[in-house]
Amino acid sequence: SDDDNLVCDKEVCVFCGLCAKACPVDALTVDRKEKVWQVDLDSCVKCGACIDKCPKKCLSFGEKAAEEKSEAAVEPESVKLPKLDEEKCVYCRACENVCPSEAIVADPDDWQLDEEKCVSCAACVDECPAEALEMK
């Protein structure tokens, strides 16, 4: 039934692609440039890995859940960006490698974040072994 299909609240989605990377059966397709999110319902095994990985919590099972979520009055969240503590950073490039939008360049002489490209997914923060990044 449609009540247990995977749905995406595209008003909240930042099209970062972390859900597609988490999908064990490659049932999800995300095109950030075109702002397209698609699920192959025949392939989806409803494991929830994508829901767990979604930084914006915009995925759910069931049409009803998505409708209720989009109708709920939500205060806009202030945009948080990863901030680097240079004292802790070991310049391992884990943040750069995991960034779905290629917004980070982890050069030891000049660590940079492209704020325009950053989708505030916090994947870099989660991946940092030195705990040198936090969302602020």
Side-chain angles (χ1 to χ4, degrees), residues 5 7 30 34 38 41 63 73 101-102 110 126-128:
N5 284 339
V7 290
V30 179
E34 299 296 321
Q38 290 177 306
L41 295 174
E63 290 292 337
S101 58
E102 299 176 356
D110 189 20
D126 295 340
E127 194 69 19
C128 181

Side-chain angles (χ1 to χ4, degrees), residues 11-22:
E11 297 293 312
V12 179
C13 183
V14 293
F15 305 93
C16 66
L18 291 175
C19 58
K21 287 180 182 168

